[in-house]
Amino acid sequence: MVIDLNKEIKVIRPEALAVFPYSNSLFIDDDIRVMIDAGAGGRAYKPIEPKSVDIVLLTHNHFDHINGVSFFQNAQILAGQEEAEGYTNPEVYAVWAGFKQWEKLMGRAKMERFAESIPMPEDVPVKPGFNRIELAGVIKDNDVFDLGKTRVHALHTPGHSHGHYAFYMEKEGVLFSGDIDIAPRGPWYGGELSDFDDLVKSVEKIIELDPRILVTSHRRIFYGKDENIAEIIRDYINIPLEKENRILDFLVKPQTVNDIAQQDFAKDYPQKTSHAEFWTKMMITKHLDRLLRQDKIVKLDKAYYVQA
């Protein structure tokens, strides 16, 4: 589905729901034709002639944003400098995925393969995991792409991943915020280099921009003339902040990560899969590390945490 925001700027939505393995894309049909992210699926891209796209900008190196780069055969592929190595080095990619923490958090060796747990639709051309992408260049914070009528500003917005970028069209007031996605359950920050403090700062940066139109990777379009985008974003980041407060309250007595993960307030996924449990525990550790830095809790030994 193609949704026109103006003559040049269009949202490309998957035919299915914009959830894994799909994500929304933003297409700028200007003198230079640019696609932001490549996870909407092959059927969604057909109306805009993907072979005629000049540049693909990637918000970050997660599967549901990069799996369709092969559709854009004549495009230069650009991604954030912070994550550039992960597109060509499978060892680096694996470390960033965080699974080296699996045995510590799950109490057993990792046998399950995420790629085998979710069947891929026919218009997603590759499977989850490392997929080599040769970049034509890198994106840096505050880079500006002059496409003709449209100027696209790159904004480094880490937290979800360390090299996550948003893209802002200031004149039009359109922000593509990627996986700062206003998900009903709050943000995801379960990677090895995901950082919750950075995520809070990135959200504050977006609120300060005060976009008139907010396009995210996995939700609908938010229009400032009809709704308070700043309030919506604050509600979104307050979800994990409230979880953090609940974790702190729970640590009135010594508890482990496993103890915390069993509590309803800490469960981030409705699915009862090993990967869902793992990512829940990864995000709990981000909050525990933050509370330790703030001297609100102490670690008693290798496993137990309690209020300071």
Side-chain angles (χ1 to χ4, degrees), residues 95-114:
V95 169
W96 291 351
F99 291 137
K100 72 175 186 178
Q101 306 293 341
W102 185 280
E103 189 166 351
K104 173 184 174 183
L105 293 177
M106 301 294 286
R108 64 181 188 278
K110 187 177 189 300
M111 305 298 292
E112 304 90 332
R113 289 180 55 84
F114 184 66

Side-chain angles (χ1 to χ4, degrees), residues 26-134:
L26 195 73
F27 177 49
I28 300 100
D29 187 8
D30 212 322
D31 297 341
I32 299 172
R33 305 180 92 220
V34 167
M35 185 68 69
I36 302 177
D37 275 352
R43 290 187 294 270
Y45 293 126
K46 284 183 179 178
I48 55 88
E49 301 178 14
K51 290 182 180 180
S52 69
V53 170
D54 300 300
I55 298 172
V56 173
L57 303 175
L58 298 175
T59 57
H60 62 299
N61 188 12
H62 284 170
F63 178 78
D64 48 333
H65 299 259
I66 67 174
N67 62 56
V69 294
S70 62
F71 297 127
F72 306 97
Q73 298 176 10
N74 300 314
Q76 293 184 314
I77 312 299
L78 307 178
Q81 62 179 352
E82 297 82 2
E83 293 181 2
E85 190 177 4
Y87 289 91
T88 55
N89 188 323
E91 289 78 19
V92 168
Y93 176 89
V95 169
W96 291 351
F99 291 137
K100 72 175 186 178
Q101 306 293 341
W102 185 280
E103 189 166 351
K104 173 184 174 183
L105 293 177
M106 301 294 286
R108 64 181 188 278
K110 187 177 189 300
M111 305 298 292
E112 304 90 332
R113 289 180 55 84
F114 184 66
E116 296 170 355
S117 66
I118 300 179
M120 289 298 105
E122 63 180 14
D123 66 338
V124 174
V126 294
K127 292 182 179 181
F130 176 75
N131 290 281
R132 179 179 295 272
I133 296 174
E134 297 296 335

Side-chain angles (χ1 to χ4, degrees), residues 129-202:
F130 176 75
N131 290 281
R132 179 179 295 272
I133 296 174
E134 297 296 335
L135 300 179
V138 296
I139 303 162
K140 302 182 297 298
D141 192 28
N142 297 317
D143 277 353
V144 178
F145 298 87
D146 193 337
L147 310 182
K149 299 181 183 66
T150 314
R151 287 167 59 86
V152 180
H153 298 253
L155 305 172
H156 184 214
T157 49
H160 174 77
S161 73
H162 67 290
H164 185 277
Y165 275 75
F167 295 93
Y168 186 44
M169 287 118 275
E170 184 175 10
K171 182 178 68 176
E172 297 82 4
V174 176
L175 177 71
F176 187 78
S177 63
D179 266 353
I180 300 177
D181 62 357
I182 321 300
R185 292 181 176 271
W188 184 94
Y189 41 98
E192 181 70 21
L193 299 183
S194 301
D195 187 286
F196 189 70
D197 283 329
D198 283 346
L199 182 61
V200 171
K201 293 174 185 175
S202 294

